[in-house]
Amino acid sequence: MTLIGISEVMRSLPELWVGLRFTLLLVFASLAIGSIIGLFVCLGRLLGRGLLVGLCATYTTIFRGIPEVVLMFWIYYCGPLLGGFRPSSLSAALVAMSLYVGALLSEIFRGGILAVPRGQAEAARSLGVPEFWVWTSVILPQAFRIVIPALIGVAALTVKVSGIASTIGVTELVFEANVTAGQSYRYFEMFTAVGVFYFLILFPMSMIAKGYERKLVKRRK
Amino acid sequence: MTDDQMLAPIVTCTNVCKRYGAFVALRDVNLEVSKGEVVCIVGPSGGGKSTFLRTINGLESIDSGTICFDGITIPGPARNVGLIRREAGMVFQSFNLFPHMTVRKNLILAPVRARGLSHAEANERAERLLKRVGIANQIDKYPDQLSGGQQQRVAIARALAMEPKVMLFDEPTSALDPEMVKEVLEVVRELAGSGMTMIIVTHEMGFAREISSRVVFMVEGSIAVDAPPERFFNAPSEPRLESFLSKVL
Amino acid sequence: METTPTIEDHDSSIVDIVPKSARGVLRQVRQSLDPVSVIVLVAIAIGIYNVIDWSQIRTLDFGIIIKFWRPLATAAGMTIGITAAALACGLVIGILLAILLELRIGFLRYVLNAYIEIWRNTPLIVQLFWVHFGLPMVTGISTTALQSGLLALTLQSSAYLADIARAGIQAVPKGQWDAAMALSLPARTKWIEVILPQALKIMIPPLGNLAVSFLNGSALLGVLSVGELMTISTRISDYTSKPIEIMTVVALLYLAINVATTYLTSRLERFAGAPR
């Protein structure tokens, strides 16, 4: 019976391919925008004083403390409030995911920067190196190397979260899987296939991240 | 021996105080260092030696008092610290070489970014200095490929690359395995011989005795004794210094 | 005025541009406001003010929340209950898996690791649909939405928790194992009385993070109309046609639950670490 099921899955590949394109769009766009947001929020939190720090910390707390699905719904429905435009499912999902990824990344960047040994910045400053170059030549390169495993983790998380966009009607992979499974009643085969597909993307990412982490630990010793 | 007194002081610290909450790290520290002098600061752990050294180039802030470095004063306009840092070279206990850069890049970063040298000039300076400290052939290696003693010598060359007026050493050999201490002290000795003004926090008593113009004893946040090495080691004027010397010598 | 360094101060010398004393007298005024902060905040305020459609805000009726507070509160309780149940079961399974992995039996390790990796590297929403729609087709047993939801959450949490438990067990100092062996403690005692209590203490922080993760994940159960907070909120929004108010409140509710969880976790950490 499952054999027949697989051919049904094959037949649905065109729709699934459409869905996949949307998934990729969601993932890459939200990672890109989220990186920018995350960088600003992180710097605001580290370099600002008082109010700005509080604001950035609040941003992080809020967007990590609300379920992604609730955030997507909220933006979808509350869009008209801001500027009177009605967001499409796709733009609502994009905004929600970007904000969420931004919150995650701001924490990761911050952790990375604070993990760079204090002596590095001290050495650079006592050499008289201007502050801009202390950051761009010494601190940030090292911080980046430290957070690479975590960055891969965030990318993986973004792929997983993209599936949630199906709940507000974005025609990405999970949505298409649902639709085509409903047509053929091959729920088991379809979702297993989609599950396997996600696994094939996410598992290597997790392995690479772990490998990198091991290399980092070795280097420290 | 006291020609130094005819030369103007290049570093003058007056009544420097620093607290961490309720703990007083530095209380009314007064020190004057003239050009060409080698001043070693010794004393028990926690006495404030490193803290004091780090106030001179602004790595630690001071709560009161003044520091005057070659005419530049702290407290003062915000850019003063940056100006002092260009003229004061610091060598750290834990080397603090930039691990993601080669030795060459470590040396040319500051001259290029802080003094605006061209890459060619900075490179030439780097090669010259590495030859001076004895590791010219390691120039394109990464710090983690070098031994501790080699890394510290690179750190010294890196500080020298800025052509500072004063070199500050914060326990330069404390983190080294014993067999590598000698090679680093050799470099410091050569530097002293060439007339560089130096302030060295160290535990190496024999070395301090050999190369200093003056030795300073710091305990509990203030300077208890400030004397030339003969008087310092042979005729200690302070009971705390006596007991300290009896433990370490 | 004293420069009493807070923990922030001391650890962030990496970001210290110029030592504070060098700034002189203005230090006091600048304590909480500096030009950049003020500019950014004013810019954000102006932006928000101009962008919001104020006329619409006036039509919002937050009073309906009072009308519906009971179903909302019950649903919130259900969210917490579902998450707690899934995490509790997941913890038990996870610890069992970690212990089994510790025994280092060749092929079993393979199977267990495969299980863990599969459930960790697939999206929860796919797992949800797979358990609820797919599994019944193969097993012939159809599960209610709640059962499917709980099952999916439990299975996923067990995978994450197995990983956390493994890390926690390995973090227990080697000397403890040696001592247990030297005292010839039976395996059961060794695990229950010596290793696990210490491992659990180490596991508290990642557990707290996981709790927040799964509280957020439980909201996905709304697509199956399980009856927890997300389900109820969509139902009420549709019924009253006031999605903005409901969604805002629900978002705040989740936020409150998560903040409370984070707070409780840190209290728990302190409590567990305190007796020395």
Side-chain angles (χ1 to χ4, degrees):
Chain A
M1 183 179 142
T2 324
L3 273 161
I4 315 169
I6 293 183
S7 70
E8 291 270 355
V9 172
M10 294 303 216
R11 221 176 301 163
S12 322
L13 276 179
E15 286 103 329
L16 291 178
W17 171 239
V18 172
L20 181 58
R21 298 223 310 268
F22 275 93
T23 300
L24 290 173
L25 171 65
L26 280 172
V27 170
F28 283 108
S30 59
L31 279 174
I33 302 174
S35 301
I36 300 175
I37 299 178
L39 194 63
F40 277 108
V41 173
C42 165
L43 290 176
R45 189 157 174 189
L46 286 175
L47 298 176
R49 304 228 177 278
L51 290 173
L52 191 59
V53 173
L55 195 71
C56 296
T58 312
Y59 172 90
T60 315
T61 314
I62 290 180
F63 289 101
R64 294 194 67 185
I66 302 183
E68 312 83 1
V69 70
V70 173
L71 189 61
M72 285 191 194
F73 269 79
W74 192 89
I75 294 182
Y76 186 66
Y77 285 116
C78 298
L81 263 188
L82 298 99
F85 80 109
R86 206 160 276 284
S88 67
S89 311
L90 183 60
S91 35
L94 256 171
V95 172
M97 282 176 68
S98 303
L99 290 170
Y100 177 69
V101 169
L104 285 180
L105 286 175
S106 80
E107 287 280 275
I108 289 176
F109 292 154
R110 181 169 161 259
I113 289 177
L114 290 176
V116 178
R118 202 199 285 193
Q120 290 294 303
E122 284 184 352
R125 285 185 192 126
S126 37
L127 286 167
V129 176
E131 196 61 21
F132 176 77
W133 297 106
V134 173
W135 280 89
T136 54
S137 294
V138 178
I139 298 178
L140 291 179
Q142 296 190 56
F144 182 72
R145 266 154 237 250
I146 291 176
V147 300
I148 287 181
L151 288 180
I152 299 179
V154 168
L157 198 60
T158 311
V159 171
K160 289 187 210 166
V161 168
S162 71
I164 301 179
S166 64
T167 60
I168 56 170
V170 178
T171 54
E172 48 72 65
L173 189 56
V174 176
F175 184 89
E176 293 293 346
N178 234 328
V179 165
T180 51
Q183 288 167 349
S184 64
Y185 272 90
R186 296 284 171 203
Y187 287 105
F188 181 77
E189 292 86 343
M190 184 59 72
F191 286 120
T192 310
V194 169
V196 168
F197 178 77
Y198 274 111
F199 182 79
L200 289 173
I201 296 185
L202 293 171
F203 180 66
M205 286 173 83
S206 142
M207 287 292 113
I208 294 175
K210 272 195 206 150
Y212 222 104
E213 223 174 320
R214 232 171 288 152
K215 208 167 59 153
L216 265 175
V217 173
K218 224 187 279 176
R219 237 210 177 162
R220 288 261 147 121
K221 306 240 165 104
Chain B
M1 181 179 61
T2 50
D3 282 346
D4 338 352
Q5 285 164 357
M6 293 200 266
L7 293 164
I10 192 168
V11 178
T12 315
C13 303
T14 323
N15 293 335
V16 171
C17 298
K18 180 170 182 70
R19 292 169 65 147
Y20 288 111
F23 173 67
V24 181
L26 301 173
R27 54 182 99 229
D28 284 323
V29 179
N30 286 284
L31 184 71
E32 228 177 61
V33 179
S34 304
K35 206 149 179 295
E37 278 197 298
V38 175
V39 177
C40 283
I41 306 181
V42 304
S45 300
K49 317 187 292 292
S50 287
T51 312
F52 173 61
L53 193 73
R54 290 157 61 93
T55 59
I56 297 177
N57 72 343
L59 287 180
E60 301 280 352
S61 59
I62 56 176
D63 295 327
S64 69
T66 46
I67 297 177
C68 184
F69 187 105
D70 198 28
I72 314 167
T73 7
I74 303 175
R79 50 194 201 93
N80 278 6
V81 177
L83 292 172
I84 291 182
R85 285 176 181 166
R86 273 189 237 164
E87 307 302 333
M90 183 168 242
V91 176
F92 298 85
Q93 182 175 342
S94 48
F95 334 140
N96 288 337
L97 293 180
F98 306 131
H100 57 301
M101 298 183 192
T102 57
V103 166
R104 182 193 296 271
K105 188 91 201 286
N106 262 277
L107 258 68
I108 67 175
L109 177 71
V112 169
R113 299 292 180 212
R115 289 221 194 269
L117 258 65
S118 72
H119 276 263
E121 294 169 322
N123 265 302
E124 183 268 333
R125 193 184 283 188
E127 281 159 20
R128 195 182 4 108
L129 286 167
L130 284 172
K131 207 184 295 181
R132 183 173 177 186
V133 302
I135 33 177
N137 57 336
Q138 313 282 10
I139 191 168
D140 286 304
K141 293 237 173 91
Y142 282 90
D144 60 11
Q145 295 172 295
L146 304 176
S147 73
Q150 291 171 320
Q151 289 188 51
Q152 191 63 299
R153 285 189 277 160
V154 171
I156 296 175
R158 181 177 66 172
L160 289 174
M162 286 294 284
E163 297 191 338
K165 300 212 169 78
V166 178
M167 283 285 280
L168 307 170
F169 291 84
D170 189 358
E171 299 200 32
T173 56
S174 298
L176 293 173
D177 291 334
E179 62 266 20
M180 295 193 249
V181 170
K182 201 167 156 204
E183 65 194 65
V184 173
L185 291 182
E186 191 50 55
V187 172
V188 179
R189 184 181 292 123
E190 186 269 316
L191 211 52
S194 71
M196 170 69 79
T197 316
M198 317 204 292
I199 307 178
I200 311 176
V201 172
T202 184
H203 290 302
E204 298 283 334
M205 296 302 156
F207 186 70
R209 188 177 200 157
E210 181 202 327
I211 67 160
S212 1
S213 331
R214 281 154 55 203
V215 186
V216 164
F217 179 63
M218 255 190 100
V219 62
E220 283 165 19
S222 53
I223 294 182
V225 181
D226 180 349
E230 296 74 25
R231 197 161 21 110
F232 187 91
F233 287 103
N234 296 335
S237 51
E238 240 256 11
R240 284 179 297 181
L241 176 58
E242 256 195 274
S243 85
F244 175 73
L245 287 176
S246 70
K247 286 190 208 129
V248 302
L249 287 175
Chain C
M1 191 177 142
E2 299 291 353
T3 336
T4 26
T6 59
I7 295 179
E8 273 274 343
D9 262 0
H10 219 55
D11 280 323
S12 50
S13 80
I14 202 151
V15 300
D16 191 14
I17 296 178
V18 178
K20 291 191 173 68
S21 68
R23 293 196 193 124
V25 186
L26 287 176
R27 195 204 321 155
Q28 277 172 277
V29 175
R30 279 163 165 229
Q31 278 296 307
S32 67
L33 295 169
D34 77 296
V36 179
S37 294
V38 176
I39 293 174
V40 170
L41 289 170
V42 169
I44 293 177
I46 294 178
I48 293 181
Y49 183 78
N50 283 333
V51 146
I52 287 188
D53 186 354
W54 291 103
S55 59
Q56 270 217 305
I57 296 235
R58 263 169 242 138
T59 65
L60 288 181
D61 168 28
F62 278 94
I64 26 163
I65 301 159
I66 306 170
K67 214 166 58 156
F68 287 100
W69 78 269
R70 195 162 275 150
L72 281 173
T74 324
M78 204 172 174
T79 293
I80 299 176
I82 292 178
T83 314
L87 283 178
C89 297
L91 186 62
V92 171
I93 301 176
I95 291 181
L96 271 165
L97 291 176
I99 296 178
L100 286 171
L101 279 166
E102 208 44 44
L103 296 175
R104 301 175 203 276
I105 303 172
F107 84 97
L108 188 65
R109 274 187 115 183
Y110 241 164
V111 170
L112 293 178
N113 276 317
Y115 169 86
I116 295 176
E117 293 301 330
I118 289 176
W119 285 93
R120 287 187 60 184
N121 290 305
T122 38
L124 180 61
I125 193 164
V126 172
Q127 294 167 0
L128 206 55
F129 287 142
W130 186 83
V131 167
H132 189 63
F133 295 118
L135 214 46
M137 309 206 94
V138 174
T139 61
I141 318 166
S142 69
T143 46
T144 67
L146 181 59
Q147 289 167 335
S148 307
L150 271 170
L151 187 59
L153 277 177
T154 306
L155 289 171
Q156 221 209 27
S157 72
S158 70
Y160 280 99
L161 281 162
D163 212 48
I164 292 177
R166 178 168 37 178
I169 290 176
Q170 283 177 349
V172 175
K174 295 285 177 269
Q176 297 294 306
W177 300 86
D178 294 341
M181 258 200 295
L183 290 165
S184 53
L185 292 175
R188 196 176 143 159
T189 318
K190 175 178 81 175
W191 280 106
I192 297 183
E193 310 258 6
V194 178
I195 304 293
L196 282 180
Q198 300 190 57
L200 279 166
K201 204 190 295 184
I202 298 173
M203 282 162 62
I204 292 178
L207 253 171
N209 280 333
L210 208 72
V212 171
S213 258
F214 273 82
L215 275 164
N216 289 342
S218 74
L220 272 180
L221 266 54
V223 306
L224 293 179
S225 293
V226 165
E228 42 68 65
L229 193 51
M230 190 61 192
T231 325
I232 299 293
S233 64
T234 42
R235 263 187 226 160
I236 301 179
S237 318
D238 290 339
Y239 180 69
T240 62
S241 304
K242 292 185 189 296
I244 299 177
E245 293 88 328
I246 301 290
M247 282 296 152
T248 312
V249 169
V250 167
L252 290 172
L253 266 172
Y254 271 109
L255 193 58
I257 297 176
N258 281 324
V259 169
T261 308
T262 319
Y263 176 71
L264 282 171
T265 312
S266 59
R267 287 299 298 271
L268 195 62
E269 268 177 70
R270 226 169 296 161
F271 171 74
R276 211 49 7 207

